[in-house]
Amino acid sequence: MLLIAIFSLTIFYQFSFGFPSNFGRNDIVAKATDDGNARFLIVGDWGGLPFVPYKTPSEVAVAAAMGHIGEKLNTSFQLALGDNFYYDGVQSVTDPRFKHTFEDVFTAKSLQTPWYVLAGNHDHLGNVSAQIEYSKISHRWVYPDYFYTFSLWESDKTKKLVDFVIIDTVLLCGGGNLTDWEETEVDGPKNNRVAEAYWQWIEGQLRQSTAPYLIVSGHFPVYSVAEHGPTKCLVDRLRPLLHQYKATTYICGHDHNLQHLAEDSDGSHMDYFVVGAGNIVENSQKHAAAVPAGSLKYFWGTGLLLGGFSMVEVNSSQMTLSLVEHTQRTLYQAVLKPRV
């Protein structure tokens, strides 16, 4: 009976408010803007501190900048790329870190829109299932499962603009016991059968994506020049799928800086962005020789700065990803075209 009620309620909302029949339960409609662009914000590795005041000056500065930009540009939602609570995640759904590090920091009215969340290695040192459960308590925390999808629809609800595939790179590759002072030399997933099932799920989601843009997001990088470097598991398994199914980009955190890398392989182009400067900023490029030659297009990071994030604006013709510092200054922009 409960399933019937839920199904009936879904049909009622779709009929009453004009949502298309394929509108997913996690999907979001872009806010209307004067120029017709949909906009959203991305922040990674933003998770404060495990002791008073439970936040850092960098996190506070980034939150303020995101709030100002969100209000000015009428952004629709936020994408949070993991390491949500340093250093050991949360212990339960009532953990005070939700309040001290999230609710009391990202207070701007423009940031009361949905936050699509994924887990990082520091979250896996705690209780990730509690972060998932927090979706039932918070009006803006959207974390339905370790792996999930959602789509951004145009403001008139007529068609999808972007498909998102959200993945848990720790369950895929291991590394749930890593600190920020270790390279991402992960030792493999704890459960190979579960990991293989998720790899099949990922390929299925990529295969069925029909939106003009397809964004895949996880915590560990495919490629990075910084302190952790590339993740071999993702280079071996995810990278071929991104090329095969013509994903627009892979966006991650883990390394505490802002990066854009791009590669061309067998006639297929792929862009990679690292957006991991929400709480701590580091300037390391110790793995510059570990990425494809010429792939690094932009790098920003120094311990003297107070963090950064990303703002994305998208329409049917192009997607522009901006890397932004805590002063709201745009550092770098990359233009991405719709999938062919």
Side-chain angles (χ1 to χ4, degrees):
M1 292 297 294
L2 178 61
L3 290 176
I4 294 174
I6 293 173
F7 177 77
S8 300
L9 184 62
T10 301
I11 295 299
F12 168 76
Y13 273 103
Q14 289 177 347
F15 178 80
S16 300
F17 298 101
F19 291 110
S21 59
N22 58 336
F23 190 87
R25 66 189 181 97
N26 301 317
D27 289 2
I28 187 167
V29 175
K31 291 184 178 180
T33 57
D34 293 338
D35 60 6
N37 286 314
R39 294 182 175 89
F40 59 93
L41 301 171
I42 304 174
V43 64
D45 300 73
W46 51 273
L49 294 169
F51 45 81
V52 176
Y54 305 107
K55 56 193 175 186
T56 66
S58 182
E59 184 196 4
V60 171
V62 166
M66 290 173 63
H68 288 305
I69 288 179
E71 180 178 1
K72 179 180 178 181
L73 298 179
N74 203 26
T75 52
S76 296
F77 65 91
Q78 290 68 231
L79 177 61
L81 299 174
D83 282 0
N84 308 317
F85 301 98
Y86 286 109
Y87 294 108
D88 300 313
V90 297
Q91 298 308 306
S92 72
V93 73
T94 58
D95 196 306
R97 291 295 305 281
F98 286 113
K99 176 177 178 2
H100 296 320
T101 301
F102 176 60
E103 303 288 0
D104 290 351
V105 177
F106 297 93
T107 56
K109 183 178 179 180
S110 64
L111 301 182
Q112 303 309 304
T113 53
W115 284 67
Y116 292 93
V117 179
L118 60 87
N121 51 296
H122 283 276
D123 301 306
H124 275 277
L125 293 173
N127 185 352
V128 177
S129 64
Q131 293 196 37
I132 293 173
E133 283 296 303
Y134 192 65
S135 300
K136 300 176 181 178
I137 296 176
S138 172
H139 71 278
R140 53 177 170 160
W141 186 272
V142 182
Y143 193 4
D145 211 334
Y146 293 91
F147 295 74
Y148 64 98
T149 64
F150 71 97
S151 297
L152 172 65
W153 289 72
E154 292 187 348
S155 59
D156 62 4
K157 308 174 190 174
T158 58
K159 60 182 179 180
K160 292 192 289 184
L161 265 180
V162 189
D163 283 335
F164 293 83
V165 178
I166 307 302
I167 66 175
D168 190 308
T169 53
V170 169
L171 293 184
L172 291 173
C173 300
N177 59 345
L178 288 175
T179 72
D180 280 329
W181 295 272
E182 297 175 291
E183 298 178 10
T184 312
E185 289 295 332
V186 296
D187 53 1
K190 285 187 176 180
N191 189 315
N192 283 301
R193 285 186 61 187
V194 169
E196 286 303 317
Y198 279 129
W199 281 117
Q200 294 300 314
W201 178 88
I202 290 170
E203 182 166 13
Q205 301 306 311
L206 299 182
R207 182 189 300 117
Q208 71 185 31
S209 172
T210 58
Y213 306 93
L214 170 60
I215 293 176
V216 182
S217 287
H219 184 66
F220 290 158
V222 175
Y223 288 125
S224 168
V225 302
E227 63 268 25
H228 298 107
T231 309
K232 186 177 186 301
C233 162
L234 299 179
V235 173
D236 292 345
R237 297 293 300 270
L238 183 60
R239 175 184 169 274
L241 295 176
L242 297 174
H243 280 280
Q244 179 179 352
Y245 295 105
K246 297 183 177 2
T248 305
T249 183
Y250 176 75
I251 305 177
C252 70
H254 197 45
D255 275 331
H256 299 157
N257 34 60
L258 304 175
Q259 301 178 49
H260 176 208
L261 301 97
E263 66 163 347
D264 293 285
S265 176
D266 298 325
S268 174
H269 179 82
M270 183 54 51
D271 291 279
Y272 303 92
F273 294 93
V274 178
V275 185
N279 191 59
I280 302 167
V281 184
E282 296 176 339
N283 198 35
S284 169
Q285 295 192 43
K286 66 181 290 186
H287 288 93
V291 302
S295 62
L296 181 64
K297 306 305 178 185
Y298 183 77
F299 178 92
W300 176 90
T302 170
L304 299 176
L305 299 176
L306 290 178
F309 57 99
S310 176
M311 192 272 292
V312 178
E313 47 194 341
V314 57
N315 57 41
S316 59
S317 299
Q318 69 178 37
M319 172 183 290
T320 303
L321 188 147
S322 301
L323 299 177
V324 184
E325 69 172 6
H326 73 282
T327 64
Q328 305 177 49
R329 180 170 68 98
T330 297
L331 301 164
Y332 174 81
Q333 289 186 319
V335 176
L336 312 176
K337 293 299 183 182
R339 302 155 69 199
V340 177

